[in-house]
């Protein structure tokens, strides 16, 4: 007669690897969400500071532009086949644009 052990046998541990395609999609999503938002905000702020109209009108024009630019950047991030080109363009707009805004300062 065979003895039956009442304790359950744990399943063998399986190491799961993250596929490169999943990492690329995560990077693309991060670039589209965070980088697209940063790029749209930078462009809206630059428009608001450089338009030669009243502050309120320039701010409204910049905000309207940002509502058009952010979805366009987000969609383009998933349409473009090369992740390097997506990251270079989106972060290339956001980071130097933020530095330019800091350098320009506030509008008089």
């Amino acid at each position: 007669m065979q003895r039956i052990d009442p304790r359950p046998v744990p399943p063998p541990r399986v190491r799961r690897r993250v596929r490169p395609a999943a990492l690329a999609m995560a990077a693309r999503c991060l670039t589209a969400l965070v980088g697209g938002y940063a790029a749209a905000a930078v462009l809206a702020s630059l428009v608001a500071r450089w338009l030669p109209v009243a502050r309120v009108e320039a701010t409204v024009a910049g905000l309207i532009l940002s509502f058009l630019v952010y979805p366009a950047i987000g969609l383009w991030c998933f349409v473009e086949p090369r992740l390097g080109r997506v990251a270079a363009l989106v972060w290339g707009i956001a980071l130097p644009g933020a530095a330019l805004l800091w350098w320009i300062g506030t509008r008089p």
Side-chain angles (χ1 to χ4, degrees):
M1 187 164 175
Q2 221 177 13
R3 182 172 177 196
I4 299 174
D5 192 8
R7 293 177 291 169
V9 177
R13 290 200 159 195
V14 177
R15 287 189 60 138
R16 294 187 186 254
R17 291 183 346 136
V18 178
R19 293 180 291 174
L23 288 177
M25 184 56 73
R28 197 173 289 264
C29 290
L30 181 74
T31 299
L33 291 173
V34 178
Y37 181 81
V42 161
L43 291 174
S45 298
L46 286 173
V47 166
R49 290 191 186 174
W50 284 341
L51 278 180
V53 294
R55 270 188 180 182
V56 174
E57 293 172 0
T59 302
V60 169
L63 285 175
I64 290 172
L65 176 71
S66 73
F67 280 107
L68 298 174
V69 168
Y70 182 52
I73 290 174
L75 288 173
W76 180 76
C77 285
F78 293 103
V79 170
E80 174 63 38
R82 297 184 61 196
L83 177 60
R85 187 179 297 161
V86 168
L89 184 78
V90 173
W91 294 110
I93 291 172
L95 297 176
L100 180 64
L101 281 171
W102 177 78
W103 183 66
I104 290 173
T106 59
R107 184 175 171 180

